[in-house]
Amino acid sequence: MINNNISEVITVNMGPQHPSTHGVLRLVVDIDGETIVNVEPDVGFLHRGTEKLAENRTYHQVIPLTDRLDYLSPLSNNLAYCLAVEKFFDVKIPERAEYLRVILAEMSRVASHLVWIATHALDIGAMTVFLYAFREREDILDMFEVGTGQRMTSSWIRIGGIRADMPEDFFVRLKSFTDKFDSCVDLYENLLTNNRIWKMRTIGIGHLSAEDVQVYGTSGPLMRGSGVDFDLRRDEPYGIYDRFKWEIPVEEAGDTYARYKVRMKELRESNKILQQALEQIPATGEVMTDDPRVALPSHEDVYERMEALIRRFYIVSKGFKAPKGETYQGIEAPKGELGFYLVSEGEERPYRMKIRAPSYVNLGALNKMAAGHMLADLVAIVGTNDVVLGEIDR
Amino acid sequence: MTFEQLTAKLEALFPEKLNCYTEFKCNFIKVKDAAAYKAVLTALRDEASFKYIVDVVAVHWPKKREKFELTINLFSIQNKLRVFVKVAGEDNKFPTITDIWAGANLMEREQYDLMGIVFEGHPNLKRVLLPEFFEGHPLRKDFPLKERSWFNNADEQGLGLKFSR
């Protein structure tokens, strides 16, 4: 006779080579039968010591390190870091550069969300979406290649502006992309939103209440999926986001399905911002500030003027000095609030740089979300967390 | 509520214990008396709606008398205001804030791992990014950058390996 009342907690290992952990995330799961009792994430397999490396590099040299944090949206990371350094100097960014920054950041958000919907759906059994989402992501990466020369780690946003202006082809491609993208989102939603299997796998899974998300510090779509109306683009404006009209999607339910709906709406809202930015962007203009404290002198100047040559040599070889003090800049990255806390001792390199990585903080709520669910739901919960291990391990 | 109003409110609650200032568009609240540190944080959460914890940052100042400094980054969604609560100590021991914000658990573990701050009362204080057998705390300023020994000198897994340069 089988006794069904036996309760025995055993510990199983998930990852770091598990396909649904999106990298090298190891989860130590205590299960009672199939029910999760406790989940403990074991991270650090990809630790590169970015914060320590930054302490021995000049402010310019840190930019390529930030690319490698959240490698699905490298330009958002560049933007957060550059805005933090610019806070030390109060630099005025040229108009065209501001618009290009918004365009690049929103394109990164779309690309990151597309990878999320593709892999999240793949993990819980909806194979088709993967192919369609990666098709559109490919378009964005092609545009990055045309505009910045790199598909992923482009380091294109620099302190004081962006590296160089975009070619005409970039805007032509972006225009046709924004025109068709809404119908692409319709396509993904047709495959998933009313799909019965998708709903069964996501509704009621990984619940977080509005109180929980603030206590655990989980930002971004996790916060908005739980009914907290918070977006740093509106609530602590940076750049020129106050010039665009868009809505912040909020869902009350707080489960995986609500977060899915928030992210799908964010894709549409990002597309709206892209369209408005393309309309408003000035046709010509500088893309790098002429502030001599941070900007490299232009090549024309360097060839003709001795002072510009010295200045350029000085900034490249030794770096520029930031004033003494501490500052922080957070931006609404695709995964949540990405922030850089910089401590300066008046030298050419940061005394301390702390990266507030959204994926890392969101992982802190994993146990809260997963406890009481089935082991198979853990895959959906890790997927809805949208973890990127480059950012968690830093 | 603006930062000035918040400052006035906190000064009334904790007279002579705080130093509030704004630097590079960031609002700082320096807690001069480390004993009042947790009371200030609790007051911020309960009476000024700072419910969203953003980050915990530790900085090492080997040349100062107070060698370790902790900065808690808080945001009030209701008032759209961000503050940084700072506290400094001569040694690396600070009380934990996991009982005020549960999310501080992983943030404090990271600072323990990389900076060696011991959070007293933390439920699960162990290394998170570095392996268990790692020696030292790399974000400290006195951590050697060169000439380090192999980090797994001990041959933890008993593979009979010898490590040499």
Side-chain angles (χ1 to χ4, degrees), chain A residues 67 70-78 105 108-109 112 333-335:
Chain A
D67 275 328
D70 178 358
Y71 40 74
L72 296 177
S73 60
L75 287 151
S76 294
N77 307 339
N78 291 168
S108 299
R109 184 186 319 277
S112 171
K335 315 280 187 293

Side-chain angles (χ1 to χ4, degrees), chain B:
Chain B
M1 194 193 290
T2 60
F3 186 58
E4 285 72 34
Q5 289 165 325
L6 177 72
T7 309
K9 194 173 178 180
L10 284 174
E11 294 282 0
L13 280 171
F14 303 96
E16 304 283 305
K17 284 181 182 166
L18 303 176
N19 175 20
C20 304
Y21 59 98
T22 302
E23 184 181 73
F24 298 115
K25 298 178 197 162
C26 294
N27 303 319
F28 292 93
I29 298 171
K30 168 101 186 168
V31 184
K32 285 185 276 189
D33 181 5
Y37 159 63
K38 277 187 84 166
V40 171
L41 288 174
T42 315
L44 279 171
R45 184 193 63 173
D46 294 339
E47 285 161 44
S49 77
F50 284 90
K51 293 205 176 78
Y52 169 37
I53 181 161
V54 184
D55 209 355
V56 175
V57 185
V59 186
H60 187 205
W61 299 98
K63 286 175 191 158
K64 290 189 182 174
R65 192 175 65 84
E66 291 176 323
K67 285 195 168 49
F68 292 94
E69 189 179 53
L70 214 58
T71 308
I72 317 291
N73 183 346
L74 299 172
F75 195 89
S76 162
I77 292 173
Q78 196 183 324
N79 299 325
K80 298 189 181 15
L81 183 67
R82 189 188 293 282
V83 296
F84 299 86
V85 182
K86 288 162 87 83
V87 64
E90 283 177 41
D91 57 0
N92 59 347
K93 290 189 176 59
F94 290 94
T96 180
I97 57 164
T98 45
D99 48 347
I100 309 178
W101 289 281
N105 190 321
L106 215 51
M107 301 169 188
E108 288 187 344
R109 269 178 74 186
E110 186 199 334
Q111 297 309 311
Y112 163 73
D113 188 2
L114 300 177
M115 192 64 91
I117 308 281
V118 177
F119 292 94
E120 287 165 331
H122 191 285
N124 186 20
L125 197 64
K126 58 182 188 187
R127 286 191 184 273
V128 54
L129 292 176
L130 299 174
E132 291 286 325
F133 48 76
F134 194 88
E135 286 170 16
H137 301 285
L139 279 183
R140 287 199 183 174
K141 290 290 168 184
D142 48 15
F143 187 80
L145 291 179
K146 289 180 177 172
E147 314 266 318
R148 287 202 299 117
S149 60
W150 283 87
F151 78 101
N152 192 3
N153 241 340
D155 187 18
E156 285 279 319
Q157 294 160 325
L159 299 174
L161 299 175
K162 286 211 168 54
F163 299 94
S164 61
R165 282 190 180 274

